[in-house]
Amino acid sequence: MADTGHSPQSTGHPTPFRDIARSEWADLAPSTPQPLSETEIVQLRGLGEPLDMTEVAEVYLPLSRLLNLYAAGAKRLHASTSDYLGERQTATPFVIGVAGSVAVGKSTIARLLRELLARWSDTPRVELVATDGFLYPNAELNRRGIMHRKGFPESYDRRALLRFISAVKSGVPEVRAPFYSHLAYDIVPEAQIVVRQPDILIVEGLNVLQPPQPGQGLAVSDLFDFSIYVDARTSDIAAWYVDRFLALKRGAFANPNSFFHRYAELSDDDARATAAEIWRSINEPNLVENIQPTKSRATLVLRKSSTHAVDRVLLRKI
């Protein structure tokens, strides 16, 4: 089915989401101070993403405040519930999921939210984990014959990811996740990311909003306290993917240690054609078949225009 770009509200049918225009959402910004410098914002943005002070102030500062309110509310609920049950247990981390296509900008948004949320006094400890670390190693993907489907749900060790989030959400003092190298395009043996009881854990990945697998009663998304889906027209994401591929060809791919070093010597025209084919054969099918169908499971949808700027926010009604 083609992505028309229409929001759920635009159909005129009842919807569980409130559709908020950029201008209305931006009106929330003046009440929230800007904690990041322009240099910090430049360091956070990804390739080809024109993230600037205005976008941060009008979109992501209000979002960070909203998330802060949800996290604080969860702590109060925990305290009230503990009192009611006569227990004295420490509140567990507030877990936020960030989902969306390759090249849509979800990694930049996750990094930005980590920095913004850590500036709020009641959530100073914020950790970020990408689900790339839970991809099967390339050797295992090749053994299973699914290397060409890297990024599809079956390419992840979903049980290990579920165990990891469950442990964090259960309040385990120290939880470890595998480390993924984008340069090597593979899991790095013996390297790990350590999460130590943060106030907030952000989990970013393509398929984090997937429902439970057949025969399983629990999905990773069931453990999220709040979830964000980063949305855009499929044609726009395809263009961003090609642009990013060209930028990587001139940058990271030039490193002899890069898994994609073979693309560094392509002409720009050949690189565009290669990127378009990778998008058509791998990333677009994954988006249409697996990622887009999870959008309605999100608590909040950030809808981007062709310029990468957010033009609408869909917030699930309470």
Side-chain angles (χ1 to χ4, degrees), residues 4 18 26 29-30 49 65 79 115 126 129 134 137 143-145 169 224 228 245 252 256 269 274 295 313 315:
T4 63
R18 180 183 175 194
E49 295 176 42
R65 178 54 177 156
E115 296 304 314
V126 183
V129 171
F134 292 91
R143 188 188 71 79
R144 297 184 180 211
K169 195 62 183 165
F224 294 158
I228 299 167
F245 190 93
D269 285 345
T274 299
K295 176 167 58 176
V313 176
L315 177 62

Side-chain angles (χ1 to χ4, degrees), residues 103 233-246 272 275-276 279 306 308:
R233 290 181 183 273
T234 302
S235 57
D236 288 335
I237 305 174
W240 299 338
Y241 178 79
V242 172
D243 290 343
R244 190 178 74 172
F245 190 93
L246 286 168
R272 287 190 186 91
W279 173 264
S306 60
H308 253 299

Side-chain angles (χ1 to χ4, degrees), residues 36 44 51 56 60 108-117:
L36 299 179
L44 287 168
L51 184 68
V56 172
Y60 298 105
T108 296
I109 290 170
R111 290 194 300 269
L112 178 58
L113 288 176
R114 177 186 59 192
E115 296 304 314
L116 291 172
L117 286 166

Side-chain angles (χ1 to χ4, degrees), residues 52 191 202 217 220-221 224 226 254 256 266 271 315:
D52 57 21
I202 300 172
V220 167
S221 58
F224 294 158
F226 195 102
L266 292 176
L315 177 62

Side-chain angles (χ1 to χ4, degrees), residues 15-79:
T15 170
F17 290 92
R18 180 183 175 194
D19 190 341
I20 307 170
R22 164 71 176 253
S23 58
E24 182 184 353
W25 184 259
D27 285 343
L28 303 172
S31 64
T32 308
Q34 167 65 279
L36 299 179
S37 68
E38 190 166 1
T39 299
E40 288 173 308
I41 291 171
V42 169
Q43 291 171 341
L44 287 168
R45 69 189 179 200
L47 285 175
E49 295 176 42
L51 184 68
D52 57 21
M53 297 284 280
T54 299
E55 188 78 359
V56 172
E58 294 187 354
V59 176
Y60 298 105
L61 272 175
L63 176 55
S64 76
R65 178 54 177 156
L66 180 69
L67 291 169
N68 174 261
L69 290 173
Y70 269 75
K75 284 184 178 181
R76 289 194 297 271
L77 179 60
H78 168 81

Side-chain angles (χ1 to χ4, degrees), residues 192-207:
Q192 293 179 318
I193 296 171
V194 182
V195 175
R196 297 183 176 91
Q197 290 185 306
D199 299 301
I200 294 176
L201 174 67
I202 300 172
V203 181
E204 173 262 313
L206 298 171
N207 293 294

Side-chain angles (χ1 to χ4, degrees), residues 84-155:
Y84 178 69
L85 296 175
E87 299 175 342
R88 287 293 179 269
Q89 294 187 8
T90 304
T92 57
F94 187 86
V95 181
I96 300 169
V98 180
S101 172
V102 167
V104 80
K106 66 185 179 305
S107 298
T108 296
I109 290 170
R111 290 194 300 269
L112 178 58
L113 288 176
R114 177 186 59 192
E115 296 304 314
L116 291 172
L117 286 166
R119 309 301 172 100
W120 293 99
S121 60
D122 48 357
T123 55
R125 295 176 299 128
V126 183
E127 299 282 357
L128 169 61
V129 171
T131 59
D132 293 344
F134 292 91
L135 285 161
Y136 287 115
N138 289 350
E140 177 64 16
L141 293 174
N142 282 318
R143 188 188 71 79
R144 297 184 180 211
I146 57 171
M147 185 66 178
H148 64 293
R149 290 179 68 82
K150 194 169 187 176
F152 283 69
E154 65 269 26
S155 66

